[in-house]
Amino acid sequence: MDNDKTRMTKSELMTNDEIGRMAFRHSGFGILSLFVIWTLSFVSVVLLPALQAADNLGVLGSKPKWVVLENYQRTITRDEFAHLISDVYCTHGFAADLIKIDNDAAQILTNRESHNVFTLQFAPDANSKARIPRLWRPAKSLPAAKPNKPLAGLRVALDPGHLGGRWAKMEERWFQVGETKPVTEGDLTLRVSRMLASRLRKLGATVLFVRNSTQPITSKRPGDFKELARKILIKNGLPQPRVGGDVLDPNDSEKQQTIRWQSEMLFYRYSEIRRRAVLVNNKLHPDLVLCLHFNAEGWGDPANPTLIDNNHLHLLVNGSYLQDELDLDDERFEMIRRLLSRAYDEELAIADTVAALMAKATGLPAYQYPTTLTTTKVGSSGYVYARNLLATRLYRCPVVYCEPYVMNSKDGFARIQAGDYEGIKEINGAARKSIFREYADSVAEGLAEYYSKNRGL
Ligand SMILES: [Zn+2]
């Protein structure tokens, strides 16, 4: 693989999926800054003017409603709050004026311009905590169930990552080796989700799909974001940004500077995931969301991809916010709301259990992030990290985000090419279940184990 960083394509830089950490700030004057941080093997910050703004929001973010947090007064003790801030959500630190933790209350800055703060009163002790308002139910609040129906009454939403189909090339989740079938993550995740749905239903769960086709949830399309994309690029020092042509050249080293690339990303990542969040939060009301993905390492030219030996597994829960993210008013609000909902306690325990079952079934080692700049290892399994992804932050319930299998590993690729089949086949010299069944079976077993052990009486 080409190690020249300036020539790396997005898929090489974004080996671990999701969130190019792009954020830009809105004000009465429009967008003031944009920065893109490519995580993983290195971090490069592109275009980062230090400008102040009245409303300081993430990409396509909306103004936070701090008053909602009044419902969480006296639901948490000082010790619990301080622990979640320092060990889960703000592991990379934060500017001193953003959050102040006193003995009886925390002061959280709502807007830097106005110096307004939200005051969160702590519960004096563990026995006098007010009830936490939330729509989802932790395992312990579900009544006991028959041994063969450990998920009875549980509402699980399945969120197959990406779109696949005709969008796979645009979302850079497409590669093809010679004349073999193209590998498109969005189609693989949908296939696994459908298999998983039938397994979970057999265990008693009510299964909801966040996406159950290759059509986007958002009604917007890249064309709707051209003007916004143009403004972003201009504000970042490109007075005459390139349009980018009718079809984007995946190997164009400067494609990120085109209106086309920016507007497509605004569509398939930011608009799409934000609409999925609206669906989850306002309509589906699940007790748990499972985000299903396949991982990849940099594959270079999608038409002539690099296959590697490395294959691994990890799971993600929300946390580990970067200082720049905490500076954004909406992300800081969403972080505090998530912390107060105590989704972490539930999602971490589920993730650890599912990870152990997936590790056993797949035989995959735990992925080790090459830097600790964006993630924090949490839990006891060794496979779970906290990371601030859009989906794990915005879905208002426990979210477990699965990243098994490197699609462009030699083993992963061969197993994907083998397709789905019953029983065991020899693939790459090893006796293997179908990769799709192995994924779906192990997640279902993990949930069955967790809920069997943790439901109420
Ligand atoms: Zn993915």
Side-chain angles (χ1 to χ4, degrees):
M1 195 164 62
D2 186 356
N3 285 324
D4 179 359
K5 286 169 189 171
T6 61
R7 289 181 53 83
M8 287 184 98
T9 64
K10 176 170 160 248
S11 45
E12 284 174 305
L13 296 168
M14 299 190 62
T15 50
N16 180 47
D17 230 11
E18 292 3 343
I19 218 145
R21 293 179 183 265
M22 184 175 90
F24 44 94
R25 295 162 191 206
H26 302 261
S27 77
F29 307 101
I31 290 100
L32 291 180
S33 77
L34 156 73
F35 54 93
V36 184
I37 299 176
W38 305 115
T39 56
L40 267 221
S41 52
F42 66 95
V43 174
S44 75
V45 180
V46 183
L47 313 166
L48 210 161
L51 293 167
Q52 289 296 321
D55 272 333
N56 196 15
L57 305 176
V59 179
L60 301 180
S62 45
K63 215 173 170 152
K65 296 189 179 83
W66 290 90
V67 67
V68 169
L69 299 189
E70 291 294 346
N71 296 314
Y72 292 93
Q73 295 292 6
R74 294 174 198 84
T75 56
I76 191 166
T77 62
R78 183 193 184 281
D79 286 355
E80 285 174 299
F81 185 83
H83 153 65
L84 287 170
I85 287 287
S86 59
D87 301 334
V88 180
Y89 291 99
C90 305
T91 45
H92 307 287
F94 51 89
D97 60 337
L98 293 183
I99 304 166
K100 287 197 185 91
I101 305 178
D102 301 325
N103 277 339
D104 307 325
Q107 311 283 340
I108 301 143
L109 192 73
T110 59
N111 184 297
R112 187 163 269 153
E113 208 87 336
S114 67
H115 302 289
N116 285 346
V117 295
F118 173 81
T119 301
L120 177 77
Q121 300 290 340
F122 295 133
D125 56 68
N127 295 324
S128 51
K129 285 191 282 187
R131 200 184 62 82
I132 302 165
R134 57 190 176 198
L135 293 173
W136 57 271
R137 299 159 303 164
K140 66 174 192 285
S141 74
L142 295 172
K146 290 178 193 157
N148 63 338
K149 300 283 180 193
L151 307 185
L154 183 74
R155 292 172 67 82
V156 185
L158 302 182
D159 182 18
H162 315 287
L163 296 168
R166 60 177 284 232
W167 309 102
K169 279 189 180 174
M170 180 193 288
E171 56 186 0
E172 300 181 6
R173 293 295 181 279
W174 182 101
F175 69 80
Q176 184 176 29
V177 177
E179 295 299 305
T180 60
K181 192 174 188 293
V183 174
T184 57
E185 187 184 349
D187 295 299
L188 301 178
T189 59
L190 182 57
R191 193 169 187 178
V192 169
S193 297
R194 287 173 176 164
M195 287 183 175
L196 178 56
S198 70
R199 286 155 175 75
L200 298 179
R201 286 190 185 113
K202 275 189 195 135
L203 295 166
T206 298
V207 179
L208 312 152
F209 278 88
V210 179
R211 162 175 89 85
N212 196 5
S213 80
T214 57
Q215 278 308 297
I217 302 303
T218 179
S219 60
K220 303 279 193 210
R221 292 296 179 266
D224 296 314
F225 297 108
K226 276 188 181 156
E227 194 47 35
L228 181 56
R230 198 177 66 84
K231 281 184 185 166
I232 292 168
L233 291 166
I234 290 171
K235 285 290 178 189
N236 287 282
L238 291 167
Q240 289 178 318
R242 277 198 293 147
V243 173
D246 288 340
V247 179
L248 200 68
D249 173 4
N251 299 313
D252 176 354
S253 61
E254 292 182 342
K255 64 186 175 183
Q256 290 163 27
Q257 298 178 9
T258 63
I259 291 172
R260 184 182 185 96
W261 189 90
Q262 293 284 352
S263 58
E264 287 176 350
M265 189 156 76
L266 286 165
F267 153 68
Y268 67 74
R269 177 164 303 139
Y270 293 94
S271 178
E272 175 64 12
I273 296 176
R274 286 190 181 279
R275 290 314 297 175
R276 289 188 194 190
V278 169
L279 177 66
V280 167
N281 297 334
N282 297 349
K283 198 169 170 197
L284 303 182
H285 299 301
D287 297 310
L288 168 68
V289 177
L290 296 173
C291 296
L292 302 163
H293 288 254
F294 283 77
N295 211 339
E297 299 259 357
W299 58 56
D301 181 353
N304 186 21
T306 308
L307 295 186
I308 56 168
D309 291 321
N310 252 0
N311 200 2
H312 46 67
L313 162 71
H314 75 292
L315 283 76
L316 295 157
V317 296
N318 186 253
S320 196
Y321 285 59
L322 307 184
Q323 293 207 23
D324 286 334
E325 294 165 346
L326 293 167
D327 269 340
L328 298 169
D329 295 341
D330 57 336
E331 294 208 25
R332 188 166 64 256
F333 166 77
E334 285 151 5
M335 183 274 284
I336 294 287
R337 178 173 60 190
R338 192 160 188 89
L339 179 157
L340 292 173
S341 80
R342 242 57 70 75
Y344 176 74
D345 298 345
E346 190 77 3
E347 66 194 8
L348 177 65
I350 296 171
D352 262 339
T353 308
V354 171
L357 271 289
M358 291 185 87
K360 194 173 155 205
T362 62
L364 292 174
Y367 178 55
Q368 305 298 334
Y369 277 85
T371 79
T372 53
L373 291 171
T374 57
T375 59
T376 303
K377 208 171 230 192
V378 289
S380 56
S381 66
Y383 286 85
V384 182
Y385 290 87
R387 191 175 179 191
N388 177 26
L389 300 178
L390 201 48
T392 60
R393 180 173 81 249
L394 294 180
Y395 299 167
R396 279 179 234 146
C397 64
V399 181
V400 173
Y401 192 109
C402 304
E403 283 279 12
Y405 310 113
V406 173
M407 293 181 289
N408 62 319
S409 66
K410 287 168 187 161
D411 203 42
F413 175 74
R415 297 184 70 190
I416 290 166
Q417 290 298 314
D420 182 41
Y421 51 85
E422 272 184 47
I424 302 291
K425 264 192 187 177
E426 190 173 308
I427 313 274
N428 250 5
R432 293 291 203 174
K433 219 187 219 187
S434 121
I435 193 170
F436 305 101
R437 293 180 194 214
E438 184 179 272
Y439 193 159
D441 287 346
S442 57
V443 173
E445 285 163 18
L447 288 193
E449 178 165 323
Y450 177 76
Y451 284 92
S452 304
K453 286 187 179 163
N454 291 286
R455 293 181 74 118
L457 297 171

